[in-house]
Amino acid sequence: MLKTLNKYKAPYLFILPFFLLFLVFQLIPAIWTFYISLTNWKGIGTPKFCGFGNYKKLLIDNMFWDALGNTVEYWITGLLFILVLSVLIASLLNSDLLKGKAFFRTVTFLPNICAAIAMGLIFRMLFDENVGLFNELLVFLGLEKVPWLTSTKYSRIPVIMLNVWRNTPWFTMIVFSGLLNIPRDYYEAATVDGANKWKQFFYITLPSLSNILFFCSITLTVDSWKIFNESYILPGPGTSNTSLFQYMYESGFNIFNMGYASAIGVILIVILAVISMVQMTVKKRQGEL
Amino acid sequence: MKRTVASLLAAVMTAGMIAGCGGNGAGTDSTTAAAGDSTQTADKEKSTAEDKTVYPAGTITIYGTGQPQYLQEYYDAWLADHKDIAPDVKIEIVQTEGHAQSREKITMTALAGADDDLPDATYLDPVNIMDLSQAGILKDETDFLKPYLDQMVEGAANDATLNGRIYGLPESVRPNVLFYNKDIFEKYGVDPAMMETFDGYVEAGRQLKEKSNGEVYLSYISPSSKTWRYWGRRGLMPQANARIWDENGSIVIGEDEGTKLALGTLDTLYSEGLLLKSEIMEPALYDAINGQKVATFYIGAFWDEFMRKNCQATTGQWGVMSSPVFEGVGKAGAPVSSYFCIVNKGDNVYAGLLEQLWKDFTFDTQSRNTWVKSMESQNAPYANPISLEMLQDNFWKEPSSFYGGMSFRETEGKCLENGAVNLVVTPQDAEADGIISAELENYVAGNQTMDQAIANMDKNLKAKIGQAEIIK
């Protein structure tokens, strides 16, 4: 063992900083979080051990289940809309027919660099029931005003729209870089074989992007489960828009129930680990990993 | 060799200790304030120049909420007048979104062990005072405050008192009042005097709605947590003698008659279409006020500063009266108190200076009046004083043009009389507020009836909290 360590001293030394940082900033806090989740700690004073009390409470907490349901909705809609839009927009940006590519690529990326809180406030104005632009448009079209932010039926729509609007550009750029790496020969050969653009898209583009899209779906999943700004700045009635991450924050920093917030954090970690494992297993079965 | 190294280390440590001890007192050539100095009492001003405590150079940090830049005006003027004791001291107010955020910042800083980064003082409400004082973060002001208690409005220190000790210096005690637009009532021939009771208040709303063909709303309702905060916890609930917990901390909100009366009244107002659904403190509501569409506000006296700032189109139209009372209870609006709390931060050399600052702000009529005049000229916020003597000063009875010649300040003072007792505060209240508010928000969104909302509040409180700690 020591001999091996000695032999590979240099490589181990090179990767040591990562493991030290991982230990200090990730592993120890994760273990600490789990310990805190077993206590009734208010952020100050000595934590009082309560076993799995916080987890039992989570099972009967309607607000937790609401937050979990909302997060699943943000995740599914995010995956669906962002991935589809990213592929479509990236394909357009990569199209030979598009003139002024540099301009459109820059414009496409702009939403991603806007501060989420600032955009949330703008969305709040756009969706305001009384004076918002969307309702003004509906009235102009002869339709009824919609209580976007004050009805549990509609209140998640602005959150989903903001999430999609902000994150699509980032994933578009990732997909776009994937498109640039597909050899042109494939398309030329397909054209010679008489394949039309749709066939080329479904039989060349999408399969070639499969690893990129898998990476995007994993990243998007993690991002979607951590959604916070959008739902925080666009709150609906009660917990109708609350995300799990937001509920964790509010339990910890508004109510100062750190033990309970930590329990939510641990649940979040477990959920993300399970989803990632399922995604990896599916990918492995497809023989692509 | 070892002995030499050990000697060197000892010398370095000794030098370090000496330097460390002298660090905070640098620049002071007379009596310097000691850590946790709490004996700045009323007779201090009688002391001779030689006895005066001179505070070391530095910046005092205070966490403030709302629009603290206006309070900074008072502090800066006060420091300019007190060069003899604080020649090189500055005061900086760090704005926070609310008392909960001040508490969050303090908690996280204390948790990190960065005592030097803690503020020297902070404005807090009773819920946060409870938790922070239990953690030993707030200075016990009992001995300092005792000589002043009789000189302040009744119960000024009540909400900061825990187990007989006081952990905050009273900053404001403001009643819940009824603002009403006199012009609207006159236009539709409705007598505002009928709003002395809640039955009359509802009736006034019905008449206004009918006579204006639905153009005028009696008041507003917010789709967010502000409905519970202003209509519930601070308004109707205390006035109806309602309870969330009983004297043992058990949850009783589901079967409490006071809750049914309080939230039932809100239900009547909302279900009959007498309330405009609009977020408070947002442009849409101010537009509605300026457009003569909202006739009254049953809310804390703080609403005065928001209207003065945002509803200049209605200058001269507003009147203020005591909150309507529930027949059979007969109590006016409950006061809401805010406290100036000094932070125990290891070496808070400015504790004495801050106590003196509070004392002057509370009892020095001339400087307070000067500051209030400046605030009025800027349509800026200020609260009524809590000093009984200061309240007697004619300045606090001056008429206001915004209220058509009525003295808002005098009326605010009068509205403190016969005030209802606030809901009991427990360490579980922040969590309970979240649960109750969510049900009320769902009611406002039209997802459930008020009866269902109350039943769900009860059920969820029992499931998630179980029992509250009652701290006397």
Side-chain angles (χ1 to χ4, degrees):
Chain A
M1 175 74 177
L2 276 175
K3 218 173 179 181
T4 318
L5 269 176
N6 223 15
K7 189 179 172 187
Y8 296 108
K9 199 162 57 181
Y12 283 130
L13 276 175
F14 277 115
I15 59 169
L16 186 64
F18 164 76
F19 283 102
L20 281 178
L21 291 172
F22 175 76
L23 185 77
V24 174
F25 293 109
Q26 297 202 23
L27 194 61
I28 293 173
I31 294 167
W32 174 250
T33 302
F34 181 67
Y35 164 68
I36 291 298
S37 76
L38 304 176
T39 69
N40 283 329
W41 190 46
K42 301 205 88 186
I44 37 180
T46 315
K48 282 183 201 158
F49 189 75
C50 68
F52 287 94
N54 286 322
Y55 293 93
K56 282 183 197 162
K57 217 193 258 188
L58 277 174
L59 291 176
I60 49 168
D61 180 0
N62 290 341
M63 295 167 97
F64 168 74
W65 290 107
D66 284 351
L68 187 65
N70 295 338
T71 309
V72 169
E73 194 172 323
Y74 298 143
W75 170 44
I76 302 291
T77 52
L79 265 183
L80 196 70
F81 289 113
I82 295 173
L83 283 186
V84 170
L85 282 172
S86 298
V87 173
L88 287 178
I89 298 170
S91 301
L92 278 174
L93 289 175
N94 196 38
S95 165
D96 293 335
L97 300 172
L98 186 73
K99 305 289 174 209
K101 280 196 176 74
F103 170 76
F104 284 108
R105 282 173 202 168
T106 310
V107 169
T108 304
F109 199 63
L110 280 180
N112 196 253
I113 56 171
C114 295
I117 295 291
M119 293 324 299
L121 290 170
I122 290 172
F123 265 62
R124 205 153 83 176
M125 284 191 263
L126 292 174
F127 283 101
D128 187 278
E129 189 176 342
N130 300 309
V131 292
L133 179 70
F134 285 99
N135 273 350
E136 293 296 324
L137 280 174
L138 290 178
V139 171
F140 179 74
L141 296 170
L143 300 167
E144 288 278 307
K145 283 186 175 180
V146 174
W148 295 107
L149 299 170
T150 56
S151 149
T152 45
K153 198 173 163 189
Y154 303 104
S155 62
R156 281 185 297 281
I157 293 174
V159 177
I160 291 167
M161 283 177 73
L162 179 57
N163 183 33
V164 171
W165 183 79
R166 279 198 72 245
N167 288 308
T168 301
W170 176 254
F171 291 98
T172 300
M173 287 303 132
I174 295 174
V175 174
F176 181 69
S177 66
L179 286 176
L180 293 178
N181 284 328
I182 303 174
R184 307 289 291 177
D185 306 358
Y186 293 1
Y187 294 101
E188 282 162 17
T191 309
V192 170
D193 289 345
N196 62 24
K197 291 283 177 196
W198 285 112
K199 280 191 173 167
Q200 289 179 22
F201 179 75
F202 283 109
Y203 291 106
I204 299 173
T205 309
L206 278 184
S208 304
L209 286 175
S210 116
N211 280 337
I212 293 268
L213 291 177
F214 175 66
F215 167 76
C216 288
S217 68
I218 295 248
T219 320
L220 247 174
T221 296
V222 176
D223 285 355
S224 299
W225 281 84
K226 288 195 307 184
I227 191 169
F228 176 85
N229 290 328
E230 290 84 349
S231 54
Y232 186 74
I233 203 74
L234 295 167
T239 44
S240 60
N241 284 14
T242 310
S243 69
L244 201 55
F245 205 74
Q246 183 188 350
Y247 190 50
M248 178 176 73
Y249 167 80
E250 285 172 358
S251 300
F253 297 103
N254 285 355
I255 298 167
F256 300 100
N257 202 340
M258 295 291 181
Y260 199 65
S262 299
I264 298 170
V266 171
I267 297 284
L268 198 55
I269 292 172
V270 172
I271 290 171
L272 279 172
V274 169
I275 293 172
S276 298
M277 278 195 311
V278 169
Q279 283 175 315
M280 302 283 255
T281 310
V282 170
K283 200 71 182 161
K284 254 183 195 166
R285 281 195 186 157
Q286 289 171 351
E288 292 178 32
L289 273 184
Chain B
M1 180 63 183
K2 274 182 186 170
R3 198 175 289 170
T4 316
V5 172
S7 306
L8 273 171
L9 265 174
V12 168
M13 282 169 72
T14 312
M17 281 165 70
I18 292 166
C21 290
N24 280 324
T28 57
D29 52 3
S30 59
T31 317
T32 302
D37 185 359
S38 64
T39 54
Q40 308 291 313
T41 53
D43 49 1
K44 176 160 246 184
E45 60 203 17
K46 295 173 191 164
S47 63
T48 59
E50 292 80 46
D51 295 334
K52 270 185 183 166
T53 299
V54 176
Y55 292 89
T59 301
I60 293 174
T61 306
I62 299 172
Y63 285 174
T65 192
Q67 301 171 81
Q69 71 272 24
Y70 293 114
L71 208 50
Q72 181 93 42
E73 263 189 53
Y74 181 89
Y75 290 162
D76 289 344
W78 188 86
L79 282 174
D81 286 344
H82 290 78
K83 288 281 184 203
D84 54 335
I85 57 166
D88 295 304
V89 175
K90 285 180 189 161
I91 293 180
E92 180 194 21
I93 305 186
V94 175
Q95 183 168 17
T96 60
E97 277 180 20
H99 296 134
Q101 198 190 42
S102 300
R103 178 238 170 102
E104 177 195 327
K105 286 160 83 85
I106 290 171
T107 303
M108 298 312 284
T109 311
L111 193 60
D115 283 3
D116 286 349
D117 294 335
L118 283 168
D120 296 279
T122 179
Y123 289 93
L124 285 179
D125 60 6
V127 177
N128 291 302
I129 286 176
M130 186 172 280
D131 282 339
L132 289 182
S133 63
Q134 282 183 327
I137 286 177
L138 303 182
K139 186 169 176 289
D140 183 342
E141 300 288 357
T142 317
D143 296 336
F144 170 75
L145 265 180
K146 263 184 186 162
Y148 304 112
L149 288 176
D150 292 343
Q151 301 169 43
M152 297 189 282
V153 295
E154 201 184 329
N158 282 4
D159 287 342
T161 307
L162 295 154
N163 296 321
R165 310 300 296 174
I166 308 169
Y167 293 94
L169 305 169
E171 189 251 346
S172 68
V173 181
R174 309 198 78 175
N176 211 58
V177 300
L178 184 66
F179 294 84
Y180 62 98
N181 188 315
K182 290 179 286 189
D183 285 16
I184 293 179
F185 278 83
E186 205 175 298
K187 182 178 174 186
Y188 296 107
V190 180
D191 182 7
M194 70 194 296
M195 298 189 291
E196 284 172 3
T197 64
F198 274 106
D199 287 341
Y201 184 55
V202 174
E203 185 52 33
R206 287 174 182 148
Q207 288 188 21
L208 285 169
K209 184 184 176 189
E210 191 190 330
K211 291 178 179 177
S212 70
N213 291 323
E215 275 288 300
V216 173
Y217 291 91
L218 178 65
S219 195
Y220 83 103
I221 192 165
S222 169
S224 74
S225 60
K226 305 271 177 25
T227 287
W228 166 243
R229 184 184 299 177
Y230 297 132
W231 278 102
R233 176 172 277 281
R234 293 184 183 175
L236 295 166
M237 292 287 280
Q239 277 200 257
N241 265 342
R243 295 177 307 164
I244 301 172
W245 332 95
D246 68 9
E247 56 279 3
N248 301 316
S250 301
I251 291 144
V252 294
I253 196 168
E255 62 266 22
D256 183 64
E257 289 304 318
T259 303
K260 286 175 188 161
L261 178 61
L263 299 184
T265 303
L266 182 64
D267 184 29
T268 304
L269 291 168
Y270 185 46
S271 59
E272 290 191 20
L274 308 181
L275 306 177
L276 170 71
K277 192 157 98 175
S278 175
E279 188 71 88
I280 193 170
M281 296 166 202
E282 292 289 337
L285 185 58
Y286 296 131
D287 284 349
I289 298 168
N290 286 324
Q292 310 285 318
K293 286 183 180 167
V294 186
T296 75
F297 284 94
Y298 163 72
I299 199 166
F302 75 91
W303 188 237
D304 157 64
E305 68 207 39
F306 286 90
M307 287 220 290
R308 277 190 289 120
K309 193 87 183 167
N310 299 289
C311 306
Q312 282 296 305
T314 59
T315 296
Q317 296 177 3
W318 290 92
V320 191
M321 59 191 275
S322 191
S323 297
V325 298
F326 284 110
E327 280 177 26
V329 182
K331 285 284 177 187
V336 174
S337 307
S338 169
Y339 295 89
F340 184 61
C341 303
I342 296 173
V343 176
N344 277 331
K345 49 180 288 189
D347 192 18
N348 193 344
V349 293
Y350 297 116
L353 188 74
L354 288 165
E355 284 169 348
Q356 196 173 338
L357 172 70
W358 170 84
K359 183 173 74 81
D360 287 355
F361 186 74
T362 308
F363 297 108
D364 180 351
T365 306
Q366 199 184 341
S367 68
R368 180 71 172 262
N369 292 358
T370 306
W371 176 71
V372 170
K373 274 179 193 163
S374 168
M375 293 300 100
E376 275 204 324
S377 68
Q378 301 173 63
N379 279 323
Y382 65 87
N384 255 19
I386 52 172
S387 151
L388 292 170
E389 192 186 324
M390 204 185 284
L391 279 168
Q392 293 307 312
D393 192 278
N394 280 337
F395 174 80
W396 293 95
K397 294 169 184 168
E398 279 179 6
S400 159
S401 57
F402 192 79
Y403 296 91
M406 180 187 202
S407 173
F408 174 78
R409 295 193 292 247
E410 187 179 23
T411 310
E412 184 182 339
K414 282 182 182 164
C415 289
L416 282 172
E417 292 165 12
N418 189 35
V421 177
N422 268 300
L423 297 183
V424 172
V425 177
T426 76
Q428 285 70 36
D429 274 19
E431 193 169 5
D433 280 349
I435 294 168
I436 295 170
S437 183
E439 297 306 327
L440 210 49
E441 287 167 51
N442 274 319
Y443 159 78
V444 176
N447 296 335
Q448 59 185 354
T449 65
M450 187 59 92
D451 286 343
Q452 287 169 330
I454 295 173
N456 285 336
M457 289 169 195
D458 192 77
K459 189 181 81 181
N460 294 339
L461 283 169
K462 282 175 178 160
K464 207 170 160 195
I465 296 179
Q467 187 136 11
E469 296 167 59
I470 302 292
I471 297 169
K472 303 285 181 197

